[in-house]
Amino acid sequence: MNPNQPTYSVDYLNQIAPQTPKKSGLSRLQFIIVAVVGAVVLLTVIISAVLTSSYNVEPAKQLAARLQSTEVIVGNAQSKLKSSQLRTLNSNLKIYLTNTNRDIATPLLQEGINVAKLDKKLVASEAGTDITNKLEDARLNAVYDRTYAREIAYQLDTIVTLMRQVNNSTNNQSLKAFLDSAYTNLEPTQKQFAQFNAANG
């Protein structure tokens, strides 16, 4: 060893030695795995949302259109009814339908359904033309009350069935709560129309 050569401590040598950069974050393989898993999860969520909404939306639209057309039929019938019992029952139904058509708009909007902008073909198919024609024939043949009670009892039964179908298929909690209350309140009226028809048939 050369006595003239300076001696350095190990600590000093460690301090001046180039530092190797520490690896941080994900390796390339880990990044690819995370990206693939993320893409699969996102695709699953999108497919699930599309399948759920396409399953729910058509019956809900049909229900909205049927409620609207039924309100019109009920309103037009009021002045043609002879029975005071049936007029009272019909007046209560008109109030129910007016309130239901107003109140269902908000939960249906959460499903992407604007009740003021329903498809024209759907509205036409749910317009109740068959009922209106039967009622006009019944009026001309002086059997309006009995025919009206029968036709409305059937119409309300289809509405209750649609409400249940939409309720069972949607995950929208506010729509479920609304429909549960709506068909619970409608069922007794439907039975009263059916009983009137049976008693006067």
Side-chain angles (χ1 to χ4, degrees), residues 19-81:
Q19 299 293 320
T20 56
K22 292 181 181 176
K23 281 191 172 181
S24 63
L26 300 173
S27 72
R28 183 175 172 86
L29 179 61
Q30 289 172 322
F31 179 78
I32 291 170
I33 291 171
V34 168
V36 168
V37 169
V40 168
V41 168
L42 181 62
L43 189 62
T44 303
V45 168
I46 291 170
I47 289 171
S48 172
V50 167
L51 290 176
T52 302
S53 68
S54 66
Y55 179 74
N56 290 341
V57 84
E58 290 311 314
K61 285 180 181 179
Q62 187 181 10
L63 173 61
R66 191 167 300 175
L67 282 167
Q68 290 174 3
S69 67
T70 305
E71 183 182 354
V72 172
I73 293 167
V74 168
N76 291 339
Q78 187 67 24
S79 63
K80 298 170 188 165
L81 296 169

Side-chain angles (χ1 to χ4, degrees), residues 65-66 68-78 80 123-141 143-145 147-152 154-155:
R66 191 167 300 175
Q68 290 174 3
S69 67
T70 305
E71 183 182 354
V72 172
I73 293 167
V74 168
N76 291 339
Q78 187 67 24
K80 298 170 188 165
V123 171
S125 71
E126 289 294 333
T129 308
D130 287 348
I131 296 174
T132 305
N133 291 339
K134 286 178 187 176
L135 291 176
E136 181 57 20
D137 287 345
R139 187 185 67 78
L140 296 172
N141 292 305
V143 287
Y144 189 87
D145 283 17
T147 305
Y148 179 76
R150 181 184 68 240
E151 292 299 323
I152 288 300
Y154 176 74
Q155 182 79 348

Side-chain angles (χ1 to χ4, degrees), residues 119-180:
D119 181 72
K120 289 178 183 177
K121 287 182 182 177
L122 175 64
V123 171
S125 71
E126 289 294 333
T129 308
D130 287 348
I131 296 174
T132 305
N133 291 339
K134 286 178 187 176
L135 291 176
E136 181 57 20
D137 287 345
R139 187 185 67 78
L140 296 172
N141 292 305
V143 287
Y144 189 87
D145 283 17
R146 185 175 70 228
T147 305
Y148 179 76
R150 181 184 68 240
E151 292 299 323
I152 288 300
Y154 176 74
Q155 182 79 348
L156 297 182
D157 189 49
T158 66
I159 288 172
V160 168
T161 301
L162 260 178
M163 285 178 169
R164 286 194 171 132
Q165 182 183 348
V166 174
N167 191 13
N168 291 337
S169 64
T170 187
N171 294 321
N172 180 336
Q173 292 305 311
S174 65
L175 183 57
K176 284 176 97 62
F178 176 83
L179 291 172
D180 187 50

